[in-house]
Amino acid sequence: MPKPVLRGLIIVAFFALTAFVLVPLYVPRPAFIPGFAPPPDMWPRTVSLAGILLGALALLFAFTRDAPAEEPVETDGSSKARMSARFAGLMLAFVLFLVAIPVLGFLVSSVLLTLCIVLMTGERGHHVWIALLAFGGPILLQMFFHSALGTQFPKGVLTKPFGF
């Protein structure tokens, strides 16, 4: 099976599992939702359905575009070790993010996660863009969700006195 087809199938399967199994099981939906408030499962379901659509789009492109001929690349095994180390680093970053939320709060934890992920991509040259993305991105997202939708984010034990 070609890589683009497999990639599209994995994306669709992951988001379908999330939308149709994990969200209904683990996101409680109250019997009564007042006013125009969105239900708690709205955003996880929306993101999952968007992921399914993107995976389907990847599948469509895999079947309609001509795939370039892949030349065999000889590796010495260090690239697989490097990719495995990066994957382990990403998983560790997400676990530390989940551990940091109760202590540091959502905003500070998401700033640290974004900074870590950007630095793990190997980007070191554009310091201003890295700072804007790592600090400005989470702040703007939290401001939008808080003001537009009234979403409350967890405040950490250490950051609660500061209000974020």
Side-chain angles (χ1 to χ4, degrees):
M1 181 177 305
K3 280 185 182 181
V5 173
L6 182 62
R7 186 179 306 129
L9 287 174
I10 289 174
I11 291 170
V12 168
F14 172 77
F15 283 109
L17 173 75
T18 303
F20 303 120
V21 177
L22 297 178
V23 170
L25 281 177
Y26 294 107
V27 179
R29 187 180 178 109
F32 175 73
I33 301 171
F36 291 102
D41 66 343
M42 184 182 105
W43 287 111
R45 189 176 303 278
T46 302
V47 169
S48 299
L49 293 175
I52 291 171
L53 289 175
L54 289 174
L57 187 64
L59 274 172
L60 179 71
F61 284 150
F63 286 119
T64 59
R65 290 188 177 174
D66 292 333
E70 293 185 21
E71 297 178 14
V73 178
E74 294 185 26
T75 61
D76 58 356
S78 66
S79 62
K80 285 187 179 185
R82 185 178 308 133
M83 295 302 286
S84 297
R86 280 189 182 181
F87 179 74
L90 286 172
M91 292 299 106
L92 179 65
F94 282 111
V95 167
L96 290 175
F97 171 72
L98 293 175
V99 169
I101 286 177
V103 178
L104 298 175
F106 182 79
L107 181 62
V108 175
S109 299
S110 59
V111 165
L112 293 174
L113 177 68
T114 306
L115 184 63
C116 177
I117 298 300
V118 168
L119 292 176
M120 286 182 78
T121 63
E123 184 58 49
R124 304 281 192 277
H126 305 286
H127 300 294
V128 173
W129 286 108
I130 291 172
L132 285 174
L133 180 67
F135 292 98
I139 291 170
L140 289 175
L141 281 173
Q142 185 164 349
M143 285 174 51
F144 170 74
F145 279 101
H146 181 71
S147 63
L149 302 173
T151 305
Q152 298 295 319
F153 291 94
K155 295 182 179 179
V157 175
L158 297 177
T159 57
K160 197 175 284 188
F162 302 107
F164 55 87

